[in-house]
Amino acid sequence: MGPKNEIKRIRLEQAFERIRVLETIIEGKQHEITELKIKVNEKRASKDVVSMMLCTLLSEIDEDGGEWFTEDSNLNKINRLQSLISNLTSKKNAAESIAEMKSSFLANMSHEIRTPMNGIMGLTKLLLNTNLTEKQNEYLRAIESSSDTLLVIINDILDISKIEAGKLSLEKKEFLFINLLSSVVGVFEGKALEKGIELVANYHKNDLPEVLVGDSVRLNQILYNLINNAVKFTQEGSVTLTVNAVEMSGEDVLLRFTITDTGIGISQEQQFKIFNEFSQANSSTTREFGGTGLGLSIVKKLVELQGGSVSIVSEEEKGSSFIFEILYPFKKISESSISVSNDNLDLKLGGTNILLVEDNPVNQLVVTDLLNEIEAEVELAVNGQEAINLFDPEKHALILMDMQMPVMDGYEAIRKLRAAGFNVPIIALTAHVSEVEMDKCKAAGADEYLSKPYKPEELYQKISQLLNTRELPSLAFDLDDSTALSLNVPKLWDRNFLLDYVGGSERLMLKILDKIKSEIPKDLEMLIAFNSELNREKLGSICHKMKPNIQILGNTSIYNLLLQVELDARSNDGILSLKKKVGILIEKLKDLLEELKA
Ligand code: ADP
């Protein structure tokens, strides 16, 4: 081999090595470069150019073989490619640090906004429960509804920013599908009734999977937004939610959700625009219906983040259908780890003591009140140190821990409690909403996490979930009791109904039964007294109060009787027939009580 050929060989090998390195870099950067394109809005000088140049390069190599590399101009091409990539990498790093700043700014902002919002909303609720003049009540209701609206807008803006910063991660948790559907439809029942439009839930429980694995909060948000729009833009006719399982394999199901309304419709031209941020079909929409134009763009992004797609079919003056499809893994309830199923659980925690750790007096008031509503006893600690001093495992069934407090914050307090070996359920309360914050709380040892402001139902749901999955001294029943119960088939109450109601948890069922057993005698006593006093108003109220307990026992005949007495007592129907009905009711309740005690 002559010296000229030797040089050629070496250059060829070097060039191949560089190409190899380039290829790996480009392969590895593919994803980052695509992301970068979005982040810095770098429209052209990115992946496409790099891969185009690489393609030309490789095809030239193919054609000319080894000869090609002897050309200096070709080696220059490779050098240019490399510098393009390093250029892109530094832009990517810059974009990342901007995104980082944006997300921490957002997290702080949301903390700053949510804390006072929590105070406003909580105090409004408390004030509404006090003695007010009609005018005051009206003003407060207006404050309540304005703050609800404001919170929706704040959440929308935070959501959009989070999605854009690529910071919105989706949960992959099991959830009860039908419960989610009925609860989101339920939210709009009042509104639909008020507007005189029909709200139709068009799906069959048996055709749909029981448990889905995914992000229930986001699915709820998508459905909420679409149904909310449908109800908002429909003055007469109906709004229908249809859910179909389009395809089902052994593990996955492709679900199609269709929200159809008979409202104002959307023109062809506008249909292209309404998924854009801040876009409304026309400016009069804002004046007439309010809104920010963020709802649909969030819907679209959330559906797409879950690998799905949204489409719209609409005709002006006739109505609209919004259709989206998402593929979910699914399970049978028996294969899942879900234990508490009922979101509407009428949770009563008489005898349960909860340690509330909170420094803010407003939040102390709000949470104590919410806990008293479910009859829990509350003990207060004003910081983490005091919580540690006060905590008594024999007494406290659960701890609600604010995370930002003076003296000792929630993280440290939880870590110390866990280090001391206490496995009491702890719910962290914070004003932050980020995933990072949630991880921080969980890493410290909290079982659950609530970001302020939360709805009472969310708090109750978390409490019920945690109390239900732990063995608690006050809730423990000895085995003999429960076996006796399952052997004795009751006639006046429906064991399966109640068990179903509490999501299959025997322990919760027994706890509820215990509570009902202690409440019925008191109610019965009042019923008898009000009956002999002939006090219609009080009779009506006591029957109203008893209904939920009887309903979950599945005794429809007593339930119907309570309902009749309540209605009769409130109308001016003959007192004799009322007394007769109450007489029958008293007898039936006594029988029921006997059976419950047996
Ligand atoms: P917002 O409702 O807050 O204005 P959205 O993004 O949810 O924002 O909706 C954007 C626009 O799309 C609305 O302002 C409205 O003009 C139109 N739109 C959405 N849903 C419907 C619907 N069901 N019927 C008619 N118009 C709709």
Side-chain angles (χ1 to χ4, degrees), residues 59-81:
S59 69
E60 282 174 18
I61 296 171
D62 252 4
E63 273 169 26
D64 302 338
E67 293 299 320
W68 188 87
F69 286 100
T70 56
E71 300 288 328
D72 276 350
S73 64
N74 286 338
L75 282 175
N76 283 344
K77 275 191 196 169
I78 299 180
N79 287 337
R80 268 199 6 245
L81 272 175

mmCIF file of all heavy atoms in Angstrom, residues 59-81:
data_model
loop_
_atom_site.group_PDB
_atom_site.id
_atom_site.type_symbol
_atom_site.label_atom_id
_atom_site.label_comp_id
_atom_site.label_asym_id
_atom_site.label_seq_id
_atom_site.Cartn_x
_atom_site.Cartn_y
_atom_site.Cartn_z
ATOM 1 N N SER A 59 -25.767 9.791 1.716
ATOM 2 C CA SER A 59 -25.997 9.329 0.349
ATOM 3 C C SER A 59 -24.788 9.621 -0.518
ATOM 4 O O SER A 59 -24.431 8.837 -1.391
ATOM 5 C CB SER A 59 -27.271 9.943 -0.219
ATOM 6 O OG SER A 59 -27.054 11.311 -0.420
ATOM 7 N N GLU A 60 -24.120 10.733 -0.248
ATOM 8 C CA GLU A 60 -22.888 11.034 -1.008
ATOM 9 C C GLU A 60 -21.833 9.977 -0.724
ATOM 10 O O GLU A 60 -21.110 9.530 -1.622
ATOM 11 C CB GLU A 60 -22.360 12.417 -0.637
ATOM 12 C CG GLU A 60 -23.150 13.526 -1.317
ATOM 13 C CD GLU A 60 -22.727 14.902 -0.837
ATOM 14 O OE1 GLU A 60 -21.631 15.029 -0.268
ATOM 15 O OE2 GLU A 60 -23.519 15.851 -1.007
ATOM 16 N N ILE A 61 -21.748 9.547 0.522
ATOM 17 C CA ILE A 61 -20.768 8.515 0.869
ATOM 18 C C ILE A 61 -21.073 7.235 0.103
ATOM 19 O O ILE A 61 -20.197 6.586 -0.452
ATOM 20 C CB ILE A 61 -20.794 8.213 2.382
ATOM 21 C CG1 ILE A 61 -20.372 9.443 3.163
ATOM 22 C CG2 ILE A 61 -19.883 7.030 2.722
ATOM 23 C CD1 ILE A 61 -20.565 9.337 4.636
ATOM 24 N N ASP A 62 -22.375 6.919 0.051
ATOM 25 C CA ASP A 62 -22.791 5.721 -0.658
ATOM 26 C C ASP A 62 -22.335 5.736 -2.109
ATOM 27 O O ASP A 62 -21.805 4.767 -2.629
ATOM 28 C CB ASP A 62 -24.329 5.645 -0.637
ATOM 29 C CG ASP A 62 -24.768 4.539 0.301
ATOM 30 O OD1 ASP A 62 -23.883 3.947 0.932
ATOM 31 O OD2 ASP A 62 -25.994 4.289 0.391
ATOM 32 N N GLU A 63 -22.565 6.879 -2.731
ATOM 33 C CA GLU A 63 -22.247 6.982 -4.152
ATOM 34 C C GLU A 63 -20.754 6.912 -4.422
ATOM 35 O O GLU A 63 -20.281 6.145 -5.257
ATOM 36 C CB GLU A 63 -22.775 8.303 -4.717
ATOM 37 C CG GLU A 63 -24.214 8.171 -5.177
ATOM 38 C CD GLU A 63 -24.805 9.531 -5.476
ATOM 39 O OE1 GLU A 63 -24.030 10.461 -5.797
ATOM 40 O OE2 GLU A 63 -26.040 9.655 -5.369
ATOM 41 N N ASP A 64 -19.985 7.723 -3.683
ATOM 42 C CA ASP A 64 -18.570 7.856 -4.024
ATOM 43 C C ASP A 64 -17.665 6.942 -3.225
ATOM 44 O O ASP A 64 -16.456 6.940 -3.425
ATOM 45 C CB ASP A 64 -18.101 9.303 -3.791
ATOM 46 C CG ASP A 64 -18.935 10.249 -4.626
ATOM 47 O OD1 ASP A 64 -19.510 9.772 -5.613
ATOM 48 O OD2 ASP A 64 -19.017 11.429 -4.266
ATOM 49 N N GLY A 65 -18.200 6.212 -2.280
ATOM 50 C CA GLY A 65 -17.396 5.310 -1.459
ATOM 51 C C GLY A 65 -16.297 6.082 -0.749
ATOM 52 O O GLY A 65 -16.459 7.247 -0.409
ATOM 53 N N GLY A 66 -15.178 5.414 -0.566
ATOM 54 C CA GLY A 66 -14.078 5.978 0.204
ATOM 55 C C GLY A 66 -13.546 7.291 -0.346
ATOM 56 O O GLY A 66 -13.123 8.161 0.415
ATOM 57 N N GLU A 67 -13.663 7.474 -1.659
ATOM 58 C CA GLU A 67 -13.109 8.669 -2.293
ATOM 59 C C GLU A 67 -13.633 9.951 -1.640
ATOM 60 O O GLU A 67 -12.938 10.930 -1.506
ATOM 61 C CB GLU A 67 -13.483 8.705 -3.790
ATOM 62 C CG GLU A 67 -12.836 7.615 -4.625
ATOM 63 C CD GLU A 67 -11.313 7.716 -4.586
ATOM 64 O OE1 GLU A 67 -10.793 8.844 -4.635
ATOM 65 O OE2 GLU A 67 -10.650 6.658 -4.453
ATOM 66 N N TRP A 68 -14.865 9.873 -1.273
ATOM 67 C CA TRP A 68 -15.562 11.049 -0.771
ATOM 68 C C TRP A 68 -14.814 11.711 0.398
ATOM 69 O O TRP A 68 -14.752 12.917 0.505
ATOM 70 C CB TRP A 68 -16.954 10.589 -0.321
ATOM 71 C CG TRP A 68 -17.873 11.704 0.058
ATOM 72 C CD1 TRP A 68 -18.671 12.408 -0.766
ATOM 73 C CD2 TRP A 68 -18.060 12.237 1.353
ATOM 74 N NE1 TRP A 68 -19.355 13.345 -0.086
ATOM 75 C CE2 TRP A 68 -18.999 13.270 1.241
ATOM 76 C CE3 TRP A 68 -17.528 11.958 2.621
ATOM 77 C CZ2 TRP A 68 -19.427 14.014 2.309
ATOM 78 C CZ3 TRP A 68 -17.959 12.701 3.693
ATOM 79 C CH2 TRP A 68 -18.893 13.720 3.537
ATOM 80 N N PHE A 69 -14.254 10.879 1.254
ATOM 81 C CA PHE A 69 -13.653 11.422 2.482
ATOM 82 C C PHE A 69 -12.333 12.127 2.258
ATOM 83 O O PHE A 69 -11.819 12.778 3.137
ATOM 84 C CB PHE A 69 -13.465 10.306 3.512
ATOM 85 C CG PHE A 69 -14.766 9.915 4.109
ATOM 86 C CD1 PHE A 69 -15.434 8.798 3.666
ATOM 87 C CD2 PHE A 69 -15.346 10.711 5.083
ATOM 88 C CE1 PHE A 69 -16.645 8.458 4.196
ATOM 89 C CE2 PHE A 69 -16.567 10.360 5.612
ATOM 90 C CZ PHE A 69 -17.222 9.236 5.172
ATOM 91 N N THR A 70 -11.772 11.912 1.093
ATOM 92 C CA THR A 70 -10.494 12.575 0.851
ATOM 93 C C THR A 70 -10.713 14.053 0.592
ATOM 94 O O THR A 70 -9.802 14.849 0.675
ATOM 95 C CB THR A 70 -9.773 11.940 -0.361
ATOM 96 O OG1 THR A 70 -10.682 12.017 -1.457
ATOM 97 C CG2 THR A 70 -9.394 10.521 -0.078
ATOM 98 N N GLU A 71 -11.975 14.394 0.271
ATOM 99 C CA GLU A 71 -12.267 15.802 0.006
ATOM 100 C C GLU A 71 -12.346 16.577 1.320
ATOM 101 O O GLU A 71 -13.135 16.247 2.187
ATOM 102 C CB GLU A 71 -13.635 15.925 -0.695
ATOM 103 C CG GLU A 71 -13.729 15.205 -2.007
ATOM 104 C CD GLU A 71 -12.931 15.919 -3.085
ATOM 105 O OE1 GLU A 71 -12.860 17.159 -3.009
ATOM 106 O OE2 GLU A 71 -12.372 15.236 -3.960
ATOM 107 N N ASP A 72 -11.542 17.651 1.433
ATOM 108 C CA ASP A 72 -11.587 18.463 2.651
ATOM 109 C C ASP A 72 -12.956 19.111 2.848
ATOM 110 O O ASP A 72 -13.446 19.237 3.960
ATOM 111 C CB ASP A 72 -10.523 19.558 2.586
ATOM 112 C CG ASP A 72 -9.188 19.009 3.050
ATOM 113 O OD1 ASP A 72 -9.182 17.869 3.576
ATOM 114 O OD2 ASP A 72 -8.182 19.696 2.881
ATOM 115 N N SER A 73 -13.584 19.485 1.722
ATOM 116 C CA SER A 73 -14.870 20.183 1.840
ATOM 117 C C SER A 73 -15.910 19.294 2.533
ATOM 118 O O SER A 73 -16.782 19.772 3.248
ATOM 119 C CB SER A 73 -15.371 20.589 0.467
ATOM 120 O OG SER A 73 -15.631 19.423 -0.279
ATOM 121 N N ASN A 74 -15.775 17.984 2.306
ATOM 122 C CA ASN A 74 -16.734 17.082 2.936
ATOM 123 C C ASN A 74 -16.519 16.982 4.448
ATOM 124 O O ASN A 74 -17.459 16.925 5.230
ATOM 125 C CB ASN A 74 -16.665 15.697 2.302
ATOM 126 C CG ASN A 74 -17.299 15.718 0.928
ATOM 127 O OD1 ASN A 74 -18.115 16.599 0.649
ATOM 128 N ND2 ASN A 74 -16.892 14.796 0.079
ATOM 129 N N LEU A 75 -15.220 16.949 4.810
ATOM 130 C CA LEU A 75 -14.947 16.929 6.258
ATOM 131 C C LEU A 75 -15.480 18.211 6.896
ATOM 132 O O LEU A 75 -15.971 18.220 8.017
ATOM 133 C CB LEU A 75 -13.463 16.767 6.521
ATOM 134 C CG LEU A 75 -12.991 15.330 6.348
ATOM 135 C CD1 LEU A 75 -11.482 15.245 6.509
ATOM 136 C CD2 LEU A 75 -13.657 14.403 7.357
ATOM 137 N N ASN A 76 -15.432 19.275 6.154
ATOM 138 C CA ASN A 76 -15.983 20.534 6.660
ATOM 139 C C ASN A 76 -17.477 20.412 6.951
ATOM 140 O O ASN A 76 -17.982 20.970 7.912
ATOM 141 C CB ASN A 76 -15.784 21.667 5.643
ATOM 142 C CG ASN A 76 -14.349 22.134 5.681
ATOM 143 O OD1 ASN A 76 -13.635 21.828 6.630
ATOM 144 N ND2 ASN A 76 -13.929 22.834 4.642
ATOM 145 N N LYS A 77 -18.137 19.653 6.071
ATOM 146 C CA LYS A 77 -19.579 19.466 6.287
ATOM 147 C C LYS A 77 -19.833 18.831 7.649
ATOM 148 O O LYS A 77 -20.721 19.229 8.392
ATOM 149 C CB LYS A 77 -20.166 18.537 5.215
ATOM 150 C CG LYS A 77 -20.545 19.233 3.945
ATOM 151 C CD LYS A 77 -21.349 18.274 3.097
ATOM 152 C CE LYS A 77 -21.408 18.789 1.662
ATOM 153 N NZ LYS A 77 -21.942 17.792 0.757
ATOM 154 N N ILE A 78 -18.989 17.817 7.932
ATOM 155 C CA ILE A 78 -19.168 17.129 9.217
ATOM 156 C C ILE A 78 -18.915 18.098 10.365
ATOM 157 O O ILE A 78 -19.660 18.145 11.347
ATOM 158 C CB ILE A 78 -18.243 15.912 9.311
ATOM 159 C CG1 ILE A 78 -18.603 14.931 8.183
ATOM 160 C CG2 ILE A 78 -18.381 15.225 10.659
ATOM 161 C CD1 ILE A 78 -17.761 13.686 8.161
ATOM 162 N N ASN A 79 -17.875 18.898 10.219
ATOM 163 C CA ASN A 79 -17.587 19.867 11.288
ATOM 164 C C ASN A 79 -18.751 20.827 11.491
ATOM 165 O O ASN A 79 -19.108 21.163 12.615
ATOM 166 C CB ASN A 79 -16.328 20.670 10.937
ATOM 167 C CG ASN A 79 -15.100 19.814 11.099
ATOM 168 O OD1 ASN A 79 -15.125 18.826 11.834
ATOM 169 N ND2 ASN A 79 -14.037 20.147 10.386
ATOM 170 N N ARG A 80 -19.359 21.227 10.382
ATOM 171 C CA ARG A 80 -20.487 22.160 10.487
ATOM 172 C C ARG A 80 -21.647 21.532 11.247
ATOM 173 O O ARG A 80 -22.282 22.153 12.090
ATOM 174 C CB ARG A 80 -20.945 22.587 9.093
ATOM 175 C CG ARG A 80 -20.236 23.857 8.677
ATOM 176 C CD ARG A 80 -20.876 24.637 7.550
ATOM 177 N NE ARG A 80 -22.147 24.200 7.049
ATOM 178 C CZ ARG A 80 -22.323 23.753 5.809
ATOM 179 N NH1 ARG A 80 -21.299 23.600 4.996
ATOM 180 N NH2 ARG A 80 -23.533 23.438 5.393
ATOM 181 N N LEU A 81 -21.856 20.244 10.936
ATOM 182 C CA LEU A 81 -22.920 19.530 11.634
ATOM 183 C C LEU A 81 -22.669 19.507 13.136
ATOM 184 O O LEU A 81 -23.565 19.743 13.946
ATOM 185 C CB LEU A 81 -23.005 18.085 11.142
ATOM 186 C CG LEU A 81 -23.888 17.844 9.940
ATOM 187 C CD1 LEU A 81 -23.763 16.394 9.504
ATOM 188 C CD2 LEU A 81 -25.339 18.138 10.298
#
